[in-house]
Each structure stands twice: as structure tokens, then as C-alpha cells.
Amino acid sequence: MFDPASTSAEALTAALEAAFLREIRWRYDADNRLRFGGRLVAPVFVLSDAAAHLGRWHAATRTLELSRTLVMSRPWLEVASVLEHEMAHQFVDEVLRIRGETAHGDTFRRVCADRGIDARAAGAPAPAGPGGDAGDAGERVLDRIRKLLALAGSPNQHEAEIAMRKAHELMLRHNVEVAAARVERSYEVRHLGDPHKRRTRVESDIAALLSELFFVKVIRVPIYLPQVGKSGIVYEIAGTHANVEMACHVYAFLLATADRLWAENRHDTRVRSGRDRLIYQSGVIRGFRDKLVAERSGLQQTGLVWVGDRDLDRFYHARHPRITHRRTQVRINGAHAAGREAGRTVVLHKPVERGGSSVGPRLLRG
């Protein structure tokens, strides 16, 4: 339950509030076209100081209400999820005209499931409970992977490489077996990247790597920053809880590793100047991909072949019915080759946390 900030009502100036409501109307119209076939009629949008709920559809007054506390204190993913949730209520009420069910009855849940919408109204789409991700199996596997990644931080290169390969095999085996068993799974969504900054080629390369080899779906999405009245771009990742946790770790780890390797090797004779930084770091990500692809090829010889997750595909396309694909190119030069060479030596591991200190990211729970 939200603990409202005492100053939330004052934090939005009249201009920012008006800009936010315009953004909400734009988002409503877009979702109406893509997810509801344009069958909804726009209601009146209202920001309230309500503390007991995040959003509410008022049928009698045709009002869609959002909490100011939600707007000011929570990420845009959660704001958008609550908006979608209330739109689903409106659809059940005004389009389907269902009257004999509870507010979150079977029809409402089906409307949400068909459109990749969070039926719980608790913020970002996530598993309904610990039973998600094929029961507790996903959490057990994630705990084992955490332990292997801790071993992969060994100063002994040989031991570190073995631990990383075992973690890779464990991830692949778990996902292949769960997909083959057709076990019901729940999926969650998270955003990666700082929306205040421009996305870089390096981040794009990492996102592509996650989508290809870490059992998640990744897409660039626009978000809105109500505190400053501006838009930004982030990466949205979707998958089971265990896979999303792992993907978040890999994203942060590779960004930090690319920065570290650039600092260590920027005086390589193949690097001409500081302007080669992103080209070098893109090479690091490509080199790490080369390493994982080689490992995956070896694992395929043991019968572990990943053919995809059809349920995740459906969830992803329900959330994003219309997807545009774009190709980008990176300049291949000596700096890229140097980065690729360094990337092939990278060992994915869990960062060592400083005892008793909050400094530094905690990327995976230990």
C-alpha cells in the first residue's frame, strides 16, 4: 500500500499537471487504438490526492482517476500499468456491458490477459505470487545461478570460466525443460536505462544480447517524466521473474565491464582517440556474445536446444501489438577489434558487495 508523501499534492505545478494530463490522454488514445480496437470513448481524466488506491474508473461520471502520489513517486511503467488497468475496467463496463460479476471477475481478467495488462492494479505487471515461474523451481534455479556467479568471480581464471559455463548450462536447461513441459508461467516487466539520458549503441548491443541469449523479450519504449514534463526512452524487458532478474544483472554488469575495459585499454595502439570509446565498447559486447554463442553451440551437442517460449511471445505481442524493427550499423575498425578481443575474455559474475555499506549496486540478491 502506498505511503503518500506529504508534499505530493504541491509538487506538481499547474503547468506540469496540465502537461501530464495531455500525456495521459495521448497514451490513452494510443492504447485504445492498439489494444481495444478504438472502441473506448475517452473519459474525463482527473488527478486526485487519494491515498487508498492508485487509480479508479468511475462509471457514473465517466471519470478515470489517477493518484498524484502514484504519478510523483512511482516509475512511469507503474503509472502506465494503472492507466491500462482502469481502461480494462472501462472496456468491461461500457463496451462488454458486463453487470453480474465482481470488479475483478473472470471477464475482467480475460480482457487483461488478452492485452498483456496487469489485472492486479498494483503497478508494474508481475507474477501474481510465489507460484509464478513454474512454482518455486525458478527461484531455486536462480539461487543456484547466484552461487555459481559468485564462484565465477574467482581470481583463478580456469575456475571462473568453469563456474560461468555451469551457470549458462543451468539457465539453458531450466528454460528448455520448463518450455518442453508446457508448465504455466507468469511474466513480469521491468524498465532498464536512465530515461534522462540518450540511449547509446552499447546499450542497444546489450539489449540485443539479452533478447537473443537470456530468455527475455526486449523493446525500446517511450516513457514520460511527470516531474520535469519531458519524455525519455528506456528498454522494457519481459520474462519470468528468474529470467528478468538475470537479465537486469547482465545489463548492469556489461555496462560496468565495458567502462572498465575501456579505462584499462584506451591506450591500445588500435584505439585512435577518445571518440573510439563507444566503438570499442560495442566490440566488448560483441566479443562477449561470441563467447556465449560458442558455449551455447557446445551445449546444443548435449541436446539442450532452445526453441523459444510461445507463451512469452504471446504476452509480449499482447503488450506491443505493433512493433517496428530497425537495423543499425556500427563502424568496424581497430578499436572495435580490440574491444571484441577483450570481450571474449569477460567472465560474467556476481559483484562482491561491500560489507555494511550501501555504496554500489546490489544486482542480485545473495
Side-chain angles (χ1 to χ4, degrees), residues 3 9 12 18-19 65 67 117 191 196 237 240 262 291 312 349 351:
D3 179 18
L12 276 176
E65 176 185 316
S67 161
I117 293 173
H191 283 174
H196 297 275
I237 60 172
T240 64
W262 166 252
K291 182 176 184 175
L312 176 58
H349 63 273

Side-chain angles (χ1 to χ4, degrees), residues 148-154 249 253 257 260 347-352:
L148 286 170
L149 291 183
L151 293 175
S154 168
H249 171 65
F253 173 84
T257 299
R260 175 178 61 80
V347 177
L348 179 66
H349 63 273
K350 177 182 177 181
V352 179

Side-chain angles (χ1 to χ4, degrees), residues 23-42:
E23 181 69 21
I24 284 292
R25 174 58 192 267
W26 181 90
R27 176 67 186 248
Y28 176 97
D29 290 342
D31 279 346
N32 186 21
R33 291 192 303 271
L34 293 175
R35 293 181 170 181
F36 297 95
R39 300 171 70 184
L40 295 175
V41 177

Side-chain angles (χ1 to χ4, degrees), residues 59-310:
T61 59
R62 300 202 70 256
T63 301
L64 198 157
E65 176 185 316
L66 295 174
S67 161
R68 278 191 176 87
T69 300
L70 168 72
V71 171
M72 289 303 299
S73 63
R74 306 304 302 164
W76 178 253
L77 175 60
E78 297 184 20
V79 177
S81 295
V82 172
L83 173 65
E84 295 160 2
H85 180 99
E86 302 310 325
M87 290 176 69
H89 277 303
Q90 182 190 1
F91 187 81
V92 172
D93 179 44
E94 294 192 335
V95 177
L96 301 183
R97 298 182 181 277
I98 301 298
R99 297 291 183 267
E101 297 183 8
T102 61
H104 296 93
D106 291 341
T107 300
F108 175 79
R109 291 196 298 270
R110 185 176 67 253
V111 167
C112 290
D114 290 346
R115 293 161 176 82
I117 293 173
D118 180 10
R120 301 167 303 116
D133 197 20
D136 294 329
E139 282 300 318
R140 290 197 297 271
V141 168
L142 187 57
D143 284 338
R144 290 173 62 191
I145 290 173
R146 288 179 184 129
K147 293 175 182 177
L148 286 170
L149 291 183
L151 293 175
S154 168
N156 184 306
Q157 183 72 14
H158 179 66
E159 292 179 356
E161 293 280 1
I162 290 175
M164 176 180 157
R165 281 197 296 271
K166 286 184 177 179
H168 188 181
E169 178 180 359
L170 181 59
M171 286 166 40
L172 178 60
R173 185 178 300 279
H174 170 69
N175 280 279
V176 167
E177 291 177 350
V178 171
R182 302 295 298 159
V183 177
E184 183 178 355
R185 284 159 290 179
S186 297
Y187 302 106
E188 67 181 58
V189 174
R190 289 192 212 170
H191 283 174
L192 295 176
D194 184 348
H196 297 275
K197 299 179 181 179
R198 294 182 61 182
R199 304 276 66 80
T200 69
R201 174 69 202 186
V202 178
E203 290 175 285
S204 176
D205 288 342
I206 296 174
L209 175 70
L210 296 179
S211 182
E212 179 184 8
L213 295 169
F214 285 91
F215 316 103
V216 293
K217 291 290 188 180
V218 187
I219 187 171
R220 277 168 55 114
V221 295
I223 69 164
Y224 188 70
L225 305 168
Q227 297 88 346
V228 294
K230 295 182 179 179
S231 298
I233 297 291
V234 295
Y235 290 101
E236 178 180 294
I237 60 172
T240 64
H241 174 71
N243 289 335
V244 167
E245 284 276 306
M246 191 66 206
C248 289
H249 171 65
V250 173
Y251 179 86
F253 173 84
L254 288 180
L255 281 179
T257 299
D259 283 341
R260 175 178 61 80
L261 289 175
W262 166 252
E264 293 174 357
N265 300 299
R266 63 182 302 172
H267 299 299
D268 187 299
T269 56
R270 290 168 288 182
V271 176
R272 294 176 300 179
S273 70
R275 287 180 293 182
D276 277 341
R277 180 177 65 87
L278 291 181
I279 297 174
Y280 176 90
Q281 292 182 333
S282 180
V284 169
I285 307 307
R286 178 58 65 90
F288 184 64
R289 177 190 175 277
D290 292 342
K291 182 176 184 175
L292 291 182
V293 168
E295 287 183 4
R296 181 69 62 89
S297 178
L299 291 171
Q300 287 178 350
Q301 305 305 315
T302 68
L304 290 177
V305 180
W306 176 244
V307 295
D309 182 345
R310 287 179 291 176

